[in-house]
Amino acid sequence: MASIKDIAKMAGVSTATVSHVINKTRYVSPELVDKVESAIKNADSPPKFVVRRQKKIRESIYQSQKGALLYICQDEDDNYTGEIWKKLKKLLESRGYTVVRCNCNSEFEMSIISKLLSDNNGIVGVFVSVKSDKLYVQNIIRSLQIPCIIIGNEVDDSAFDRVSTDIYKAAYDCTMHFIRSGHEKIAILMDNSLKSYNNDFMKGYENALKDGGIKLKNRYVLHKDSHDKKISDMLSGLLGGNDTPSALLITDSDYIYSVYRYIMKRNVRCPKDLSIMCVGNEGSAPYLNPALSMAENDCERIAGKAAELMLDKIKELSENDKYEVILKKPSKILVSAKMIIRDSTIGTARGPFGERGADMHTLILTEKEMDICRMKRFTAVIVYHYIGASFMKLHEQGVRDVFDRLGITIIAVMGCQMDFSMQRKQIQSLLMLEPDIMIAFPVNHTMTQDVFKEVIRTKTKLVFMGHVPDGFEGTGYVSCINVNERSNGRNIGRGLGDYLLSNHKKNIGIIRYGHQFYATNQRDSAVEQIIREEYPELRICATEVFSQKDEYEKTKELLTWHPEIDGIYVSWEGPAIKVVEALHDINREDIIVATSDLDFSVALDMAKGGCIKVLSAQQPFEEGQAAALCGANAVLGKRVPSFVAVEPVFVTAENLIKSWNAIYKSKAPREIIDALQKNEQFMSE
């Protein structure tokens, strides 16, 4: 039987190193640990010191299968610590164990724990959940001769079994959420006292930026490395000047109130000026203003994995005589954080060339500027891609509302009914009138680019609606106006997700637009992002792409292959009505539909309790106002943002009438009101 000297000689290390590896009394490099373990395994028979240790453990600690378990922690009021404690206690007491909680905030408390562990052979295992990597905590857990499981990322010691949140993945996912939401300038606020935690966090943050094609900026990384360093001073340095971030990721929930106090005092609008997300557990997160988005530790899964691992260790050591049990490499179980998106984050509207969307309120004119407009007697024309629809009527009303107050005369309004050759001729005719402002909805990206280039070679200030034709590359025109498509998609995705979950359903089909059109593509992507990130319980079964008014057939095809689908997202209201017709014809009116834009047909279906349950609507009147203000600013020689985004309105049956009144600036049609009143499902709610 090999002695400790024999093992030391075989491994090429000292006997003290062998002792430290076996007893875990101090740190030993992984390379030396491997050498010692390999020597023990290659010995002819188990070394006698291993056998003696086995026997001692079995006799002194595992005389019975049940016993007491300690939960060593620091701050008993900490949300994370408290949640883990409650769930562990419930899980293990149901298995017949006594679970005792011990704080370790002072030397006195530490001495109690040490004595308790040395005197009480009935303690069969220890959990350690502390927010510190200080040596005094490690000294206790290193001396244990019973299973010890670290819960959390803070104790920086690879010699013990561990169950913790996957901090790398949490940082990566949060950063990618910001990137997918249109943010490029993303800052983080870190506490330098927890080295292993911060290393994982920085790696996740850096790799997400790299994968998103964004260069890391050191000024965006804030280190709270001392108690004297005020968060307000750090934020002032970060948010002062021109190169300010649009998103902030906080690594420690202890800093939340300091950040919120700062933004309130400095009138930083969250999330419009700064989107905020935090990793950790903060019970007040849903009640803050705005409600805080979190990547929360999944306490239930962490406690469950820790309890399961502890029971396995206890059983293994009480029943198994093999020395490999003691030398078994520690387990490391990582649990994904739960992404909970609330009101403190928002999708940043992006224009056709990646421009960040400006708020239309930045376009407001002073009284003096308004007087100049009236005196100059500017003229304007409006070029629609089609005319007669309620959207265009409302848009024109919004334009006139501004121009009438500024004394700007609209000398022509034309629509080409989606005929690009007609639109070209109309624009050439309008240029002969030498208007000061032209507001235009291009028919498509390519067919009308030449005639719009003719416009920018004149004195006429050109404002695009919806999208910009090819060949402009963000220059030559005044601005592009559109709805905030990220908010549009967010409204739809959340509405669809919440409705399905509340009705105990989970399967989703997507029917989206098949052409490259930045606005619609952005909305479609936002819907899918929200569903995948915020609703992990839901499943996207399949996606169909429509392009040639084939939505009806695509719906039938989708449900032939995936009859389990409970809800469908459709890119906008016209195709959505075709989807509803298909669902009706195949007797699948149990499926709900979510889409964008509010018109009479979708409103009537919603009011009747039909398939359409959720939609997000543009505000054409406000978009018309924004276009008019862009034109007015331009003729006054003022600088205008190259992209202006108008926020959409979330619509369900509950706020249908109110939303209609707000969007259309008039009362809802009697037919819609009557249908809603006859809707038994709505009235019963």
Side-chain angles (χ1 to χ4, degrees), residues 501-665:
L501 288 183
S502 66
N503 287 277
H504 311 291
K505 298 180 178 182
K506 68 175 186 177
N507 296 311
I508 295 173
I510 292 177
I511 300 178
R512 62 175 178 80
Y513 191 46
H515 291 299
Q516 288 298 316
F517 188 62
Y518 95 91
T520 310
N521 299 154
Q522 196 174 93
R523 181 195 319 146
D524 293 342
S525 296
V527 171
E528 189 166 344
Q529 177 193 351
I530 291 297
I531 291 170
R532 292 191 187 281
E533 289 184 353
E534 299 187 33
Y535 299 90
E537 310 94 328
L538 303 181
R539 183 171 73 96
I540 296 177
C541 301
T543 298
E544 287 286 348
V545 176
F546 69 87
S547 57
Q548 300 295 329
K549 297 184 178 181
D550 52 355
E551 310 91 290
Y552 183 93
E553 292 75 16
K554 293 289 186 180
T555 305
K556 287 186 173 182
E557 184 177 338
L558 178 67
L559 292 170
T560 298
W561 292 104
H562 296 278
E564 73 276 16
I565 284 175
D566 303 304
I568 296 176
Y569 160 68
V570 192
S571 293
W572 70 86
E573 89 287 354
I577 289 298
K578 295 296 182 183
V579 170
V580 170
E581 290 175 4
L583 294 176
H584 174 77
D585 291 347
I586 61 176
N587 295 316
R588 288 303 309 271
E589 291 173 286
D590 58 303
I591 295 174
I592 76 160
V593 174
T595 189
S596 68
D597 294 339
L598 180 68
D599 71 358
F600 179 82
S601 56
V602 295
L604 186 60
D605 182 84
M606 181 179 284
K608 289 180 176 179
C611 295
I612 298 175
K613 304 294 185 185
V614 168
L615 62 87
S616 183
Q618 294 189 57
Q619 300 192 77
F621 183 88
E622 285 73 11
E623 290 178 32
Q625 288 181 314
L629 285 169
C630 281
N633 275 271
V635 293
L636 289 172
K638 295 178 63 180
R639 185 176 179 182
V640 180
S642 61
F643 179 66
V644 178
V646 178
E647 289 299 313
V649 175
F650 179 61
V651 184
T652 64
E654 286 75 10
N655 71 350
L656 176 59
I657 301 302
K658 182 179 179 181
S659 298
W660 183 283
N661 295 344
I663 292 169
Y664 282 90
K665 315 302 177 187

Side-chain angles (χ1 to χ4, degrees), residues 425-480:
K425 292 176 182 177
Q426 288 176 345
I427 292 171
Q428 290 171 337
S429 298
L430 291 172
L431 286 177
M432 297 177 68
L433 299 175
E434 298 184 349
D436 297 294
I437 301 168
M438 177 181 289
I439 298 172
F441 285 77
V443 168
N444 58 37
H445 285 281
T446 58
M447 300 297 185
T448 55
Q449 59 177 300
D450 291 340
V451 73
F452 281 118
K453 286 185 176 179
E454 289 181 33
V455 176
I456 65 173
R457 287 193 287 268
T458 70
K459 68 161 190 171
T460 303
K461 303 297 184 182
L462 177 59
V463 178
F464 285 121
M465 296 298 307
H467 67 103
V468 177
D470 294 342
F472 282 83
E473 302 302 326
T475 60
Y477 59 94
V478 173
S479 186
C480 177

